[in-house]
Amino acid sequence: EIQITARPGQQWVFDMPDWLSALLDGQNIPSGATITHQGPANVVFRAEEANPRAESRSVSFNIEVNGINQEITIVQAGSTLIKGDDISLDAEADSEGASAFTATEGLQWLASLSGDGWLDWSATNPGSSGAEAPDGAQPLKVKATTSNPLAQARSGKITVKAGASVGDAGYTNLTQEIEVLQAGSIVTGSAVDLSAEAASNQASAFIATAGLDWVANVTNGNWISLTGTTSGYPTTGNLQNITFDVSVNPSSTQRSGEVVVRAGDETDGPTGTITVNQLGSNFSVSDTELVLAYVATSGSVIVKGTNGLLWTVSPSESINGITPATISQIADGNAQVLNFDVTENIGTTVREAIFTVAVTNGDHSKRVRVKQKARVTVTIDQSVLQSYSARLLLGYNWLSHPPFDADGTNKATSHGITNVNLSSSPPTMTGSYTI
């Protein structure tokens, strides 16, 4: 409102701009009209539209008041556009979120989305454009059309324009952007503990963000073989099983392998690990040394191992007349006999061989030393005969304890021994022989 204090009869002129109207002494002056008036007046100016720009706009006119030329300026403040908070969406498809903006009331406005096709307006969004912004916040609601195939968050945006920025791409002073972030997807693995034995159709589970492709691969542990379904669509957001077989653990220590499940994008999608722990196996050999007679015979040790272990004997061939009867066998958890066969040792020295009983591809290893005694020989001659006959005087009976039974019967006389009954003088013999 302006009180113009011109003298009575003094004329003044004012060209109204398109955005401004006036009430002059009760008379409506529309926008775009020209006011021609004489003398004092009370003028109420009214903005007919919201300022379409962020900068203020004004209009001025001159009037002579009491001989002094004065300029009168009408200023309309610049409009404002204030964005609301950024939006965070869950990783799953159809996740929704809301924000808002506040623009100067009456401004034309337009909201648009960008997000590589995964971002859309919610079904309950009240609108994406309007001829006049309301008095207060204008809500905006969006949703994710697909689950995020990436492990990291992905972003889109709502671009809000108001006033002159709607129709003029070069004018951006009434433009705001609301960022929309969709959380990255996840895959959660698990762990399973197994005994040392081989096992089939074992299962462990993973949980992944719903709505994604998935694939499982063994990344560590060639003793793990996936069975059943190893890929599919979609992930459910709930427990999903991976089934697999494991071979027997040939080592005494626990081993661990990994099955990695990847969901979504082949390169940047989330991964989860299923850890498979398998206990170490048991293996034992009852003796580390065997001592056998010089005759052709055999001796044995007891081998016991976790069911399914393949054990071998090396060397597998005969050494010094000593031969393993078994060169390989699969353990069954019970005692297993491993024989070593020997031929007669006709030599005069002990003979031996060392064999290693080991689990294939494992760390179980036992050494068995097999010894075979040598034959003991005695040369019988007159001096030995005399020595033995002296012992007979201590109570031995020649016939019950024949000293020189060379071929299984008492044929001492066949070797030239005489006077075997010790009736008078000690026995005698001619020559010698060896037993």
Side-chain angles (χ1 to χ4, degrees):
E1 180 177 352
I2 297 176
Q3 180 67 43
I4 298 176
T5 58
R7 291 175 303 186
Q10 180 183 353
Q11 180 174 302
W12 54 272
V13 178
F14 176 46
D15 292 328
M16 301 286 291
D18 291 340
W19 54 271
L20 195 64
S21 66
L23 182 64
L24 174 62
D25 292 336
Q27 178 185 359
N28 286 318
I29 309 298
S31 59
T34 298
I35 298 177
T36 301
H37 188 73
Q38 293 181 352
N42 182 273
V43 184
V44 177
F45 292 101
R46 180 180 184 274
E48 289 295 315
E49 63 180 30
N51 187 349
R53 304 177 79 85
E55 301 78 25
S56 63
R57 61 181 175 179
S58 64
V59 62
S60 300
F61 65 96
N62 293 317
I63 185 170
E64 183 180 333
V65 179
N66 299 323
I68 300 174
N69 190 38
Q70 296 189 13
E71 183 177 70
I72 298 175
T73 302
I74 316 305
V75 179
Q76 184 182 26
S79 290
T80 59
L81 174 63
I82 302 172
K83 72 170 186 174
D85 294 334
D86 292 335
I87 299 174
S88 295
L89 303 178
D90 293 335
E92 291 82 8
D94 297 324
S95 172
E96 295 191 354
S99 185
F101 70 90
T102 302
T104 298
E105 182 181 1
L107 284 181
Q108 180 185 8
W109 64 274
L110 174 67
S112 59
L113 299 175
S114 56
D116 294 331
W118 62 268
L119 188 61
D120 199 359
W121 296 114
S122 168
T124 59
N125 182 53
S128 59
S129 64
E132 293 186 0
D135 179 17
Q138 170 69 38
L140 297 170
K141 297 182 180 180
V142 295
K143 70 175 182 179
T145 59
T146 62
S147 295
N148 187 354
L150 307 175
Q152 67 272 18
R154 62 178 176 178
S155 64
K157 63 183 178 181
I158 305 172
T159 301
V160 181
K161 297 180 178 182
S165 291
V166 173
D168 184 355
Y171 183 75
T172 59
N173 289 352
L174 287 176
T175 300
Q176 294 286 350
E177 292 182 348
I178 299 172
E179 186 177 27
V180 182
L181 284 178
Q182 185 181 26
S185 291
I186 60 171
V187 179
T188 302
S190 59
V192 59
D193 297 324
L194 303 175
S195 64
E197 290 84 2
S200 299
N201 294 321
Q202 301 302 295
S204 192
F206 71 93
I207 300 175
T209 299
L212 300 172
D213 291 307
W214 66 272
V215 62
N217 291 289
V218 177
T219 59
N220 179 27
N222 57 11
W223 45 278
I224 303 173
S225 300
L226 296 182
T227 60
T229 303
T230 59
S231 62
Y233 173 85
T235 50
T236 63
N238 299 310
L239 288 173
Q240 293 179 261
N241 279 338
I242 295 293
T243 58
F244 54 90
D245 297 343
V246 296
S247 58
V248 63
N249 186 353
S251 298
S252 60
T253 57
Q254 175 178 297
R255 62 181 177 180
S256 296
E258 293 180 348
V259 178
V260 170
V261 179
R262 180 182 295 279
D265 187 83
E266 293 182 1
T267 302
D268 297 319
T271 60
T273 299
I274 296 173
T275 302
V276 182
N277 300 315
Q278 187 179 35
L279 293 175
S281 54
N282 298 313
F283 188 76
S284 64
V285 178
S286 60
D287 294 293
T288 59
E289 186 167 313
L290 292 178
V291 179
L292 306 178
Y294 79 92
V295 296
T297 186
S298 65
S300 63
V301 296
I302 300 300
V303 178
K304 188 175 182 180
T306 298
N307 185 33
L309 288 179
L310 174 63
W311 56 267
T312 60
V313 181
S314 61
S316 58
E317 66 275 5
S318 177
I319 298 178
N320 292 332
I322 306 171
T323 307
T326 302
I327 61 172
S328 68
Q329 197 162 342
I330 297 177
D332 59 7
N334 301 310
Q336 296 174 305
V337 177
L338 170 59
N339 286 321
F340 293 93
D341 300 327
V342 296
T343 58
E344 182 180 4
N345 185 359
I346 60 175
T348 58
T349 58
V350 174
R351 60 184 183 180
E352 68 175 50
I354 296 176
F355 297 90
T356 299
V357 185
V359 173
T360 302
N361 297 324
D363 62 356
H364 295 289
S365 180
K366 305 293 182 181
R367 293 192 358 157
V368 178
R369 183 189 299 270
V370 182
K371 292 183 177 181
Q372 186 182 26
K373 297 178 180 179
R375 290 199 312 169
V376 177
T377 60
V378 178
T379 299
I380 308 301
D381 56 15
Q382 178 65 25
S383 65
V384 175
L385 179 63
Q386 295 296 323
S387 174
Y388 186 74
S389 66
R391 289 183 174 273
L392 295 178
L393 297 177
L394 299 177
Y396 284 93
N397 182 287
W398 181 281
L399 297 178
S400 64
H401 296 81
F404 312 126
D405 190 3
D407 52 5
T409 60
N410 184 11
K411 295 183 179 180
T413 55
S414 66
H415 297 289
I417 300 175
T418 59
N419 196 18
V420 296
N421 292 321
L422 297 177
S423 57
S424 57
S425 59
T428 60
M429 68 177 292
T430 59
S432 65
Y433 65 94
T434 298
I435 61 172

